[in-house]
Amino acid sequence: MTARSKLLSFVFLCVAAAGVAAALIWSPKPPVALATGAVLVPSRSLADFSLIDNQGRSFGAANLRGHWSLMFFGYTNCPDFCPTTLTTLAAFEKRLRAAKTVVPPQVIFVSVDAKRDTPAQLAKYVPYFDPDFIGLTAADQPAIERQAKKWGVAVMIEPASDGNYTVDHSGAMFVINPAGNLAAILTGPFTVDALQSDFKRIVTGGA
């Protein structure tokens, strides 16, 4: 990640930590300990939203219900963090399918670069890592930035000298439970072993 990305992640962590601390104060039982983040007790309801998936279909809060989901924000031109994280998530999903101990979550990649990351672009990019992964985008950049802000994800777009632009974003991962509520925030570092252990603890309540 770039220095600016690390700064954005730090800002996100400060905001998230305040929310997590408040939740823990009122928690009726000790929280589940995770290697890569924190469980939210109680889980937080999510406002409805409307994005577009990599098949051109509408995707909203209703699509998060009925199963576990892992969501993170990035963009297809990301040089390192996004492809590395997607590769790790693909290996994580493969391991869960083989182990058959818990049902693998649906993995959702939300682009913060709506101008370049159209549904067609996401349809070429996301399935490369796993055909079951879902890519989301918005009709325009302001719409996706509003959605990112609701999740506490910082996005910065800077013009480049060649007339293009660069994108920086915070790199947290969000765990959503079958009720469609935010159950945990993972901040890394992300490895297959850590994700497998943490996801099992989240799903089983630490058992």
Side-chain angles (χ1 to χ4, degrees), residues 5-25:
S5 295
K6 291 178 180 178
L7 175 60
L8 292 175
S9 293
F10 175 75
V11 172
F12 170 84
L13 288 175
C14 291
V15 174
V20 170
L24 297 184
I25 291 173

Side-chain angles (χ1 to χ4, degrees), residues 12-13 16 20 34 36-40 44 151 172-175 182-188 202:
F12 170 84
L13 288 175
V20 170
L34 302 179
T36 63
V39 172
L40 303 184
R44 299 179 186 173
W151 286 78
M173 194 177 297
F174 303 91
V175 183
L182 181 60
I185 300 174
L186 308 182
T187 54
I202 293 167

Side-chain angles (χ1 to χ4, degrees), residues 21-146:
L24 297 184
I25 291 173
W26 298 101
S27 174
K29 61 180 180 179
V32 176
L34 302 179
T36 63
V39 172
L40 303 184
V41 182
S43 61
R44 299 179 186 173
S45 60
L46 299 173
D48 198 10
F49 60 90
S50 181
L51 294 175
I52 307 165
D53 74 8
N54 52 293
Q55 301 300 318
R57 301 169 300 200
S58 177
F59 190 103
N63 298 97
L64 299 175
R65 302 186 190 111
H67 38 67
W68 287 90
S69 301
L70 290 182
M71 176 186 288
F72 85 103
F73 292 70
Y75 63 110
T76 65
N77 282 284
C78 177
D80 42 36
F81 177 75
C82 301
T84 299
T85 302
L86 285 167
T87 299
T88 299
L89 284 169
F92 159 72
E93 290 276 294
K94 183 177 180 180
R95 184 179 291 183
L96 288 187
R97 292 177 189 132
K100 298 180 180 179
T101 53
V102 294
V103 177
Q106 68 174 358
V107 173
I108 304 165
F109 174 75
V110 185
S111 173
V112 296
D113 185 6
K115 181 179 180 180
R116 292 182 293 198
D117 288 344
T118 62
Q121 171 64 13
L122 289 173
K124 292 187 293 184
Y125 181 81
V126 177
Y128 171 81
F129 299 94
D130 189 297
D132 291 333
F133 285 5
I134 298 169
L136 299 181
T137 188
D140 53 48
Q141 190 61 28
I144 198 62
E145 290 189 24
R146 285 194 299 271

